Amino acid sequence: SRRVGREPGGYQGIIDSVEDGSLAGYDILKNPNLTRLFNAIKFSGRTNNNLGIGLFNAVARSEKAKLRNRISGRDSIITTEALTNYNVFVLDQALKNRSYITLTNTNVLREGDAPDANVTGIDLALYDKKNKYGLLLKPRYSKIYDSAGGFDGFKNYLEVGKVSGKFQYSISNDLKSAQYDPNDLGFLLSPNEFSTTARLGYNVYQANRSFLNQQYTFTATQS
């Protein structure tokens, strides 16, 4: 929902160019602030073997701004958003002891020289039979295709620890390369990060006169 049907990427640029003088002498006749869709479909379900399957596809039409030169009276057409095909594919296999493994792929294809993008990720969660210890592993790989040849990047999140009982602890690491970019369909504030976090926690689940429950946590992060 952040990307499909969004404001055209060049919408604000048209307004700024007229206001700052780089397109002086032009009037904006048309500049759509929403990207209209040809279609958007979603399919999801789960098999008898606990395999979840999800598919999403949307095709967003090309949007164009129309400007008129005040002197010549001629109109100019500028593309603010290319014709775009958005795809999401998910396989999610539920395992024993609430463990699971998930494969997600997002793909964005644009008309002409506009950049294309593909991002693939795996989510793995493993827990022991007593649900006492757990491991999370979340590698990602992104590839951007553009006229300059494109670039790729990667991300990984790893966490291990004790996940139940009054006393819990974990250590985690979050790694993002400088050119990791999932933002054509996903969301990332900033890449190029390496951080490690240690966490100790003590939980009281029984209610008393003052509290329904209690949680005390100490966290240390190096980034």
Coordinates of all heavy atoms in Angstrom, one line a residue, residues 43 67 78 80 83 100 104 108 111 119-120 123 148 153 157 161 200:
F43 N -4.1 -13.6 -4.2 CA -4.5 -14.9 -3.9 C -3.7 -15.4 -2.7 O -2.5 -15.3 -2.7 CB -4.3 -15.9 -5.1 CG -4.4 -17.3 -4.8 CD1 -5.6 -17.9 -4.7 CD2 -3.2 -18.1 -4.5 CE1 -5.7 -19.3 -4.4 CE2 -3.3 -19.4 -4.2 CZ -4.6 -20.0 -4.1
L67 N 2.1 20.4 -19.8 CA 2.5 21.8 -19.6 C 2.3 22.6 -20.9 O 2.5 22.1 -22.0 CB 3.9 21.9 -19.1 CG 4.2 21.3 -17.7 CD1 4.6 19.9 -17.8 CD2 5.3 22.1 -17.0
I78 N 5.2 15.3 -20.2 CA 6.4 14.7 -19.4 C 5.8 13.6 -18.6 O 4.8 13.7 -17.9 CB 7.0 15.8 -18.5 CG1 7.5 17.0 -19.3 CG2 8.1 15.2 -17.6 CD1 8.0 18.1 -18.4
T80 N 5.6 11.3 -15.6 CA 5.9 11.4 -14.2 C 6.0 10.0 -13.5 O 6.5 9.9 -12.4 CB 4.9 12.3 -13.4 OG1 3.6 11.8 -13.6 CG2 5.0 13.7 -14.0
L83 N 4.7 3.0 -16.8 CA 3.9 1.9 -16.6 C 4.7 0.8 -15.8 O 5.8 0.5 -16.1 CB 3.6 1.3 -18.0 CG 2.8 0.0 -18.1 CD1 1.4 0.2 -17.7 CD2 2.9 -0.6 -19.5
Y100 N 9.1 -22.2 11.6 CA 8.6 -21.9 10.2 C 9.8 -21.5 9.3 O 10.8 -21.1 9.8 CB 7.5 -20.9 10.2 CG 8.0 -19.5 10.7 CD1 8.6 -18.6 9.8 CD2 7.8 -19.1 12.0 CE1 9.0 -17.4 10.3 CE2 8.2 -17.9 12.5 CZ 8.8 -17.0 11.6 OH 9.2 -15.8 12.1
T104 N 10.1 -15.1 0.4 CA 9.4 -14.0 -0.2 C 10.2 -13.4 -1.3 O 11.4 -13.1 -1.2 CB 9.1 -12.9 0.9 OG1 8.4 -13.5 2.0 CG2 8.3 -11.8 0.3
V108 N 9.5 -5.6 -9.3 CA 8.9 -4.4 -9.9 C 9.5 -4.2 -11.3 O 10.8 -4.1 -11.4 CB 9.2 -3.2 -9.0 CG1 8.5 -1.9 -9.7 CG2 8.6 -3.4 -7.7
E111 N 8.3 0.3 -17.5 CA 8.5 0.5 -18.9 C 9.6 1.4 -19.2 O 10.0 2.3 -18.5 CB 7.2 1.1 -19.5 CG 7.1 1.3 -21.0 CD 5.8 1.9 -21.4 OE1 5.3 2.7 -20.7 OE2 5.4 1.5 -22.5
V119 N 13.8 -8.3 -5.1 CA 14.3 -8.5 -3.8 C 13.8 -9.9 -3.3 O 12.6 -10.2 -3.5 CB 13.8 -7.4 -2.8 CG1 14.4 -7.7 -1.4 CG2 14.2 -6.0 -3.3
T120 N 14.7 -10.7 -2.8 CA 14.4 -12.0 -2.3 C 14.8 -12.1 -0.9 O 15.9 -11.7 -0.5 CB 15.1 -13.1 -3.1 OG1 14.7 -13.0 -4.5 CG2 14.7 -14.5 -2.6
D123 N 12.9 -16.1 5.7 CA 12.7 -15.9 7.2 C 12.7 -17.3 7.8 O 11.8 -18.2 7.4 CB 11.4 -15.2 7.5 CG 11.4 -13.8 7.1 OD1 11.4 -13.5 5.9 OD2 11.5 -12.9 8.0
A148 N 22.5 2.4 -16.0 CA 23.9 2.4 -15.7 C 24.5 1.0 -15.4 O 25.6 0.9 -15.1 CB 24.2 3.4 -14.6
G153 N 22.7 -5.5 -3.3 CA 23.0 -5.3 -1.9 C 22.4 -6.5 -1.1 O 21.6 -7.3 -1.6
Y157 N 19.6 -10.6 9.3 CA 19.3 -10.5 10.8 C 19.4 -11.8 11.4 O 18.9 -12.8 10.9 CB 17.9 -9.9 11.0 CG 17.6 -9.8 12.5 CD1 18.0 -8.7 13.2 CD2 16.8 -10.7 13.1 CE1 17.7 -8.5 14.5 CE2 16.5 -10.6 14.4 CZ 16.9 -9.5 15.2 OH 16.6 -9.4 16.5
G161 N 18.6 -17.1 21.4 CA 18.5 -16.8 22.8 C 17.5 -17.7 23.5 O 16.9 -18.6 22.9
L200 N 19.0 -8.8 28.3 CA 18.7 -9.6 29.4 C 17.4 -9.2 30.0 O 17.1 -8.0 30.1 CB 19.8 -9.5 30.5 CG 21.2 -9.9 30.2 CD1 22.2 -9.5 31.3 CD2 21.2 -11.4 29.9

